[in-house]
């Protein structure tokens, strides 16, 4: 593992089937339940739940963006560990699939409003959040990985 320096954060982003990211970066932003969390080196330790959204990190002068679905993050002063159900880089996102997922979720929410179960509505809301976050990340300028 890289030696800990005071101006870097070691970030590891893991899904059930792959290691998406293992890198020493300058700053990280995470989609926390209560809003985006900006993490700089030396941040106070915390454990937080994540909602579907955008994980971004800054590497030299370049920002990189990834989609992350729900999960958890552990923050230590020079280490951030992120465990999520799914993650994709902008160029890995199938935009048509995300649009179909968005339409299905919106349709289910309309039906839920017409009296279907609350569980179905919550699941559709979560699917809609994932689809919208994927579409947002897919639109990010594609940054070359160092
Ligand atoms: P869908 O209804 O299209 O399956 P979902 O939100 O239910 O979308 P997830 O459960 O978040 O999908 O992800 C299941 C797997 O499919 C993961 O490996 C994820 O990376 C991949 N995946 C889902 N949607 C997309 C997409 N639009 N582009 C690329 N990969 C995707």
């Amino acid at each position: 593992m890289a030696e800990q320096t005071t101006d870097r954060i070691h970030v590891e982003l893991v899904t059930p089937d792959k290691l998406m990211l293992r890198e020493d970066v300058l700053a990280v932003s995470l989609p926390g339940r209560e809003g985006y969390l900006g993490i700089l080196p030396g941040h106070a330790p915390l454990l937080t739940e994540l909602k579907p959204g955008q994980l971004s990190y800054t590497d030299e002068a370049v920002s990189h963006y990834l989609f992350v679905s729900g999960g958890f993050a552990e923050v230590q002063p020079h280490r951030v560990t992120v465990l999520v159900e799914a993650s994709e880089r902008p160029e890995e996102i199938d935009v048509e699939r995300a649009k179909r997922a968005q339409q299905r979720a919106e349709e289910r929410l309309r039906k839920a409003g017409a009296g279907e179960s609350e569980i179905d509505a919550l699941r559709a809301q979560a699917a809609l959040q994932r689809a919208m976050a994927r579409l947002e990340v897919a639109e990010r300028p594609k940054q070359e990985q160092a």
Side-chain angles (χ1 to χ4, degrees):
M1 193 192 74
E3 199 179 300
Q4 283 189 352
T5 56
T6 51
D7 63 342
R8 294 269 163 175
I9 310 168
H10 184 73
V11 183
E12 292 199 4
L13 167 60
V14 186
T15 72
D17 38 51
K18 59 190 165 179
L19 173 65
M20 284 294 286
L21 184 66
R22 176 188 275 164
E23 214 166 301
D24 292 333
V25 307
L26 294 171
V28 192
S29 166
L30 303 170
R33 277 273 153 219
E34 312 298 328
Y36 277 85
L37 280 169
I39 316 274
L40 292 171
H43 197 286
L46 66 88
L47 189 61
T48 185
E49 199 180 337
L50 301 179
K51 63 181 184 184
Q54 190 166 276
L55 179 152
S56 62
Y57 63 94
T58 310
D59 169 14
E60 305 308 334
V62 183
S63 293
H64 303 263
Y65 301 87
L66 294 103
F67 163 79
V68 289
S69 64
F72 293 92
E74 184 194 16
V75 177
Q76 292 290 335
H78 292 282
R79 170 176 281 268
V80 172
T81 308
V82 182
L83 308 172
V84 291
E85 276 298 318
S87 174
E88 296 113 40
R89 296 191 171 80
E91 64 275 18
E92 294 170 331
I93 294 173
D94 179 336
V95 170
E96 290 310 312
R97 176 174 169 178
K99 284 182 181 166
R100 287 196 299 274
Q102 180 181 11
Q103 282 166 3
R104 276 197 309 278
E106 284 171 349
E107 184 59 30
R108 273 186 251 134
L109 281 174
R110 271 193 293 275
K111 285 185 185 157
E116 295 223 356
S117 85
E118 198 176 324
I119 292 284
D120 287 345
L122 290 172
R123 288 181 57 179
Q125 192 63 52
L128 182 59
Q129 272 187 22
R130 293 195 298 277
M132 290 174 61
R134 281 188 169 108
L135 292 171
E136 193 184 332
V137 171
E139 278 175 16
R140 286 285 177 186
K142 289 164 189 146
Q143 306 282 358
E144 286 300 315
Q145 296 293 312

